[in-house]
Amino acid sequence: MTFLFDIGRVLLDFHFEKSLATLLPPGNADSETRLAALLEKKDDFENGSIPNEEYIPWAINSLGAEITAESFMHAWRNIFTPIEPMWRVVESLAAGGHRLILFSNTNGIHCPWIFENYDIFRHFGAAVLSHEAKAIKPHDAIYRHAIQQHGLMPEETRYVDDLGPNIEAGKHWGFRSWQYDLNDHAAFERWLAGELMRG
């Protein structure tokens, strides 16, 4: 059985604003505006249209921070906490011989860094990452890319994501889809048990 797993708020929880706020100059009156501007361009960064070497200096300038690129990348990366119940699920699925593929909107600062720093990713044999595919969920192009790149049969592929629009797109493409809520992991476990029984 093949499973597509989103990363953010499925395998790793994250909080961008809290980490990036540590980079703002003390007493900055428009910190929320600066952070919002930074995250507005995140989609362009994650669909691969802005490379690291362009996004990072632009982001530092937008923050008004006198910091190095290394300091920015440290704050950008240190936003994650493991969602341990889902890690246990992944370990169980991997032990059962299921095919596990990452399917995530992400960027060149987070990847491959997260793969090197979170052990759970060793269980995934492949990945469809937005900045490499040059498309982001929920747009059709990345779903088409996943199917073609990995020879997926959507009706036999289980897809887990935390965002409703992404799940709706998954259903449109025929994936057996579940919108994950990290605050109700038990509901996911019930869905998964039913899917595993159906085969």
Side-chain angles (χ1 to χ4, degrees), residues 82-128:
I83 300 175
E84 293 182 0
M86 188 60 91
W87 282 32
R88 291 191 288 271
V89 168
V90 167
E91 288 164 356
S92 175
L93 291 173
H98 297 286
R99 184 187 187 198
L100 305 180
I101 300 173
L102 295 169
F103 186 45
S104 184
N105 289 347
T106 186
N107 57 76
I109 301 177
H110 286 155
C111 300
W113 182 85
I114 58 170
F115 305 148
E116 297 162 356
N117 285 272
Y118 293 95
D119 185 59
I120 196 64
F121 294 109
R122 66 187 171 86
H123 295 299
F124 290 84
V128 177

Side-chain angles (χ1 to χ4, degrees), residues 48-61:
S49 61
I50 304 177
N52 285 11
E53 58 269 21
E54 183 179 327
Y55 185 79
I56 292 169
W58 172 84
I60 291 171
N61 183 63

Side-chain angles (χ1 to χ4, degrees), residues 5-12 83-87 89 159-164 167 177-189:
F5 275 89
D6 183 30
I7 297 175
R9 302 217 163 101
V10 175
L11 297 169
L12 299 172
I83 300 175
E84 293 182 0
M86 188 60 91
W87 282 32
V89 168
Y159 168 41
V160 185
D161 199 298
D162 68 308
L163 295 178
I167 287 295
S177 306
W178 180 261
Q179 185 175 352
Y180 183 69
D181 178 356
L182 60 85
N183 296 307
D184 190 6
H185 181 79
F188 166 74
E189 292 266 17

Side-chain angles (χ1 to χ4, degrees), residues 2-167:
T2 299
F3 288 85
L4 292 179
F5 275 89
D6 183 30
I7 297 175
R9 302 217 163 101
V10 175
L11 297 169
L12 299 172
D13 196 8
F14 65 90
H15 299 281
F16 262 112
E17 290 85 350
K18 183 178 178 181
S19 184
L20 293 176
T22 64
L23 302 176
L24 290 165
N28 196 301
D30 62 344
S31 59
E32 288 187 11
T33 303
R34 288 174 183 264
L35 290 173
L38 202 68
L39 297 176
E40 275 176 15
K41 254 193 181 174
K42 190 163 74 74
D43 280 359
D44 290 333
F45 186 34
E46 293 192 337
N47 72 19
S49 61
I50 304 177
N52 285 11
E53 58 269 21
E54 183 179 327
Y55 185 79
I56 292 169
W58 172 84
I60 291 171
N61 183 63
S62 297
L63 288 171
E66 294 184 9
I67 58 169
T68 64
E70 289 72 22
S71 296
F72 176 79
M73 288 191 293
H74 177 81
W76 187 270
R77 288 167 172 163
N78 283 274
I79 62 172
F80 297 111
T81 52
I83 300 175
E84 293 182 0
M86 188 60 91
W87 282 32
R88 291 191 288 271
V89 168
V90 167
E91 288 164 356
S92 175
L93 291 173
H98 297 286
R99 184 187 187 198
L100 305 180
I101 300 173
L102 295 169
F103 186 45
S104 184
N105 289 347
T106 186
N107 57 76
I109 301 177
H110 286 155
C111 300
W113 182 85
I114 58 170
F115 305 148
E116 297 162 356
N117 285 272
Y118 293 95
D119 185 59
I120 196 64
F121 294 109
R122 66 187 171 86
H123 295 299
F124 290 84
V128 177
L129 307 175
S130 60
H131 67 294
E132 295 177 350
K134 306 298 184 187
I136 60 172
K137 297 179 292 184
H139 298 300
D140 285 339
I142 194 167
Y143 293 83
R144 185 182 301 111
H145 176 85
I147 291 166
Q148 294 174 348
Q149 185 79 13
H150 298 288
L152 302 179
M153 299 180 66
E155 67 277 8
E156 297 178 6
T157 302
R158 277 65 176 179
Y159 168 41
V160 185
D161 199 298
D162 68 308
L163 295 178
N166 297 349
I167 287 295

